[in-house]
Amino acid sequence: MPLPALFLLFSFILGAVVGSFLNVCIYRIPAGLSIVSPRSRCPQCEAPIRWYQNIPILSWLVLRGRCGQCRAPISVRYPLVEFLTAVLFAFVLWMFGLQWATLVYWLMAAALIVITFIDLDHQIIPDVISLPGILVGFACSFAVPWVSWLDSLLGIVVGGGSLLLVAMGYEFLTKKEGMGGGDIKLLAMIGAFLGWQAVLPVIFVSSLAGTLVGIPLMIRQKADTRLALPFGPFLAFGALFYLFWGPEIIHWYLGLFAPNGG
């Protein structure tokens, strides 16, 4: 039964509000600052942002992307994160309906957004998100009917172990570090939320996406294969892709090899 549009609108608004908080996390966590206090301030003039200047998406549009006090430009990143979170929250609700799994995947999506933008900015994946995320993902397996606690536990082992083996193999062959420990912990977290069945599809999709993005960048920058690209955003994309469409695509793919196509 289709969800009422009011529910989807509520999830969109909720996602935008959460996205506003995620912006705080993205800015403060790498700097080692508290995400609770002080209240949000302009990074230029340090004037506190009033509540009516901090309405997700709308305030940025009304203020035309500038601080309400000093008129310094405000990055488009802020409404982008809010809009992205809002869309993902609404889409998760539309896909999974009113059940505990929706809350679980809202939580996972929020964590992946923070990780993505921190990795893009600093090329790090904070342990303060990924390590608790592993435990939370495992605990949430008891609220998701199609991911058992054993699937989640194996997802942690297979997810973290597979990338660890790849990193060790790459370092052995090239004598260079090719993948950071943050990516390994992130895939373990993804495995905790989605189960061991998701690990290989997530690696495949993220590697494919990384290749499609990396090759044009190497050509544009005239770089070689040593061009450093943060892999966290691609793992996050692969996880969300699997969450929304993975099982259906795998079922379709396996059906190609079944007798008579079925």
Side-chain angles (χ1 to χ4, degrees):
M1 180 178 180
L3 282 171
L6 185 62
F7 286 4
L8 296 176
L9 177 61
F10 169 79
S11 64
F12 183 91
I13 295 173
L14 175 63
V17 173
V18 171
S20 181
F21 174 70
L22 299 186
N23 275 319
V24 175
C25 297
I26 292 166
Y27 177 78
R28 295 188 182 184
I29 287 176
L33 302 174
S34 170
I35 60 175
V36 178
S37 63
R39 55 183 293 190
S40 297
R41 297 173 179 269
C42 171
Q44 297 297 324
C45 67
E46 296 190 351
I49 299 176
R50 297 181 175 91
W51 69 267
Y52 55 84
Q53 297 173 333
N54 205 24
I55 300 173
I57 303 173
L58 293 179
S59 289
W60 189 90
L61 294 174
V62 171
L63 293 171
R64 298 182 180 180
R66 293 187 176 276
C67 171
Q69 306 299 319
C70 67
R71 305 306 295 166
I74 300 173
S75 173
V76 71
R77 164 80 64 83
Y78 291 96
L80 174 63
V81 169
E82 292 163 354
F83 181 75
L84 176 61
T85 311
V87 170
L88 283 176
F89 270 43
F91 197 53
V92 167
L93 180 63
W94 182 72
M95 289 286 291
F96 297 99
L98 298 174
Q99 58 176 315
W100 287 113
T102 295
L103 295 178
V104 170
Y105 296 136
W106 279 352
L107 185 62
M108 185 187 80
L112 292 177
I113 289 172
V114 174
I115 286 171
T116 291
F117 285 97
I118 289 179
D119 203 15
L120 286 173
D121 287 341
H122 305 280
Q123 294 196 356
I124 59 171
I125 297 176
D127 288 347
V128 71
I129 299 176
S130 59
L131 292 181
I134 293 173
L135 298 178
V136 172
F138 176 73
C140 287
S141 67
F142 294 94
V144 179
W146 50 87
V147 179
S148 70
W149 68 268
L150 183 58
D151 290 335
S152 178
L153 184 61
L154 289 174
I156 297 170
V157 175
V158 175
S162 59
L163 279 195
L164 179 61
L165 290 175
V166 170
M168 292 174 60
Y170 181 88
E171 187 172 355
F172 176 78
L173 294 174
T174 65
K175 308 303 180 184
K176 299 176 183 177
E177 184 178 350
M179 183 170 293
D183 297 320
I184 296 170
K185 298 166 193 170
L186 173 56
L187 189 55
M189 186 191 87
I190 292 170
F193 275 99
L194 300 179
W196 66 269
Q197 300 91 336
V199 172
L200 289 181
V202 167
I203 292 176
F204 174 78
V205 171
S206 58
S207 300
L208 178 61
T211 301
L212 293 176
V213 172
I215 290 178
L217 284 178
M218 285 191 291
I219 295 174
R220 181 178 179 181
Q221 300 180 14
K222 298 181 180 179
D224 56 21
T225 54
R226 292 174 294 180
L227 176 68
L229 277 179
F231 196 49
F234 299 110
L235 285 172
F237 172 78
L240 292 173
F241 185 90
Y242 180 87
L243 173 65
F244 297 135
W245 301 292
E248 289 76 10
I249 292 178
I250 292 173
H251 180 75
W252 168 80
Y253 179 77
L254 294 177
L256 296 177
F257 301 94
N260 300 322

